[in-house]
Amino acid sequence: MRFLYTIFLSVIGMFCYGETSKKLENGVYHNESGARLIEIKNDTLKFLSCSSSSIEEGEKSYYPLAICKITEASNTFFEINSIERPEQSAFKDILITEEASSNNASYEISFKVPNASIPIKFDVWCGTILYSGVTEKGECTIVLNRNRITSSDSFRFSFQPMYYVESNPAGQYFGVLYYMYPYEVNLDSEKSIVIKLPNITDTLFDQYFLLEEYIQVVPHGIKWRGEYYKKF
């Protein structure tokens, strides 16, 4: 199927731009507003976005949205795939600790996200029972009733932002909004749990996960998802 799709891309490239192969040049490309950049170096592509705070301060600074491996697909099209999933960075420096419980009737699970300012919703599954909470000032505590979880000695959790801003005027969003911790966390009958997630930031939810997508080489730049990026 991918072979047929590659042939299809080749035909489009030849029809639009002739049979001459277009070289994907190293360098930095920017979209019309300058809010997003694409940086290409050999077989690696980086998507970068301008932080809103830096625009307000009058000096733009950029943070990475995705780092991708580039593979030539046809004369004018190149396939890109994310090298790392956003989940890998989100949970990279997670710290889970236990504390003596002050309440024998309940478990307390505290989430701390010191580097995020936006409200984040946490969901906790203990057996078939779902608990939820939203962070305030970077912290959220969810109380589990011990009497309702006699059949479970562990839990799983996920998180997502309470709101987000669309990536384009069409209302599409390119980032990853939902994160599930891939492991179960053990519950101790006499302990509460504190989970610190320093890598959760406001910009984490903007990060892309790109799989089998394509960029197109066009005169003086490249196109991705219908948007033109001009080379500096």
Side-chain angles (χ1 to χ4, degrees):
M1 183 68 182
R2 182 182 290 188
F3 176 72
L4 293 176
Y5 188 56
T6 301
I7 293 176
F8 175 70
L9 293 178
S10 300
V11 171
I12 293 177
M14 291 172 62
F15 178 78
C16 296
Y17 300 103
E19 297 185 6
T20 303
S21 176
K22 303 290 183 179
K23 182 181 179 182
L24 184 61
E25 297 180 348
N26 287 345
V28 177
Y29 303 74
H30 64 90
N31 65 351
E32 184 177 354
S33 67
R36 285 196 294 271
L37 302 180
I38 293 178
E39 181 180 281
I40 294 175
K41 186 175 181 180
N42 301 326
D43 65 346
T44 302
L45 177 148
K46 292 182 180 180
F47 280 102
L48 304 166
S49 180
C50 184
S51 63
S52 56
S53 59
S54 70
I55 295 176
E56 294 172 0
E57 294 170 359
E59 185 173 346
K60 292 182 178 181
S61 62
Y62 294 83
Y63 60 91
L65 297 175
I67 301 176
C68 302
K69 180 178 176 58
I70 305 170
T71 305
E72 185 174 356
S74 72
N75 287 342
T76 58
F77 286 88
F78 292 79
E79 183 179 332
I80 55 174
N81 292 280
S82 289
I83 295 173
E84 183 178 85
R85 298 181 65 94
E87 291 91 335
Q88 291 176 261
S89 58
F91 297 116
K92 184 177 180 180
D93 296 317
I94 186 173
L95 179 63
I96 302 176
T97 57
E98 295 180 338
E99 295 182 355
S101 177
S102 59
N103 189 339
N104 292 328
S106 62
Y107 293 98
E108 288 187 353
I109 302 175
S110 298
F111 294 97
K112 297 186 178 182
V113 285
N115 298 316
S117 62
I118 62 173
I120 298 170
K121 179 186 177 186
F122 281 88
D123 289 324
V124 171
W125 284 268
C126 203
T128 59
I129 303 172
L130 171 64
Y131 298 83
S132 300
V134 179
T135 59
E136 291 185 13
K137 297 182 179 179
E139 295 189 11
C140 167
T141 297
I142 295 176
V143 179
L144 312 184
N145 190 324
R146 293 179 190 269
N147 297 326
R148 296 185 63 191
I149 57 174
T150 54
S151 62
S152 179
D153 58 0
S154 63
F155 67 91
R156 301 193 69 171
F157 72 89
S158 67
F159 64 87
Q160 57 189 306
M162 290 296 291
Y163 61 82
Y164 62 92
V165 178
E166 291 83 358
S167 301
N168 63 19
Q172 294 175 305
Y173 192 77
F174 300 151
V176 178
L177 294 174
Y178 181 82
Y179 291 80
M180 168 69 81
Y181 188 54
Y183 308 106
E184 291 192 352
V185 182
N186 292 330
L187 281 170
D188 188 293
S189 60
E190 298 180 354
K191 301 289 179 64
S192 291
I193 306 293
V194 178
I195 300 176
K196 187 174 182 180
L197 295 153
N199 286 3
I200 297 181
T201 64
D202 296 350
T203 59
L204 171 71
F205 303 103
D206 294 331
Q207 291 186 14
Y208 304 154
F209 176 62
L210 305 179
L211 184 64
E212 296 182 6
E213 295 214 16
Y214 293 87
I215 57 172
Q216 180 184 14
V217 179
V218 296
H220 312 297
I222 55 180
K223 289 184 72 175
W224 176 68
R225 291 188 176 180
E227 188 171 21
Y228 176 67
Y229 290 77
K230 184 179 180 180
K231 190 173 187 298
F232 274 116

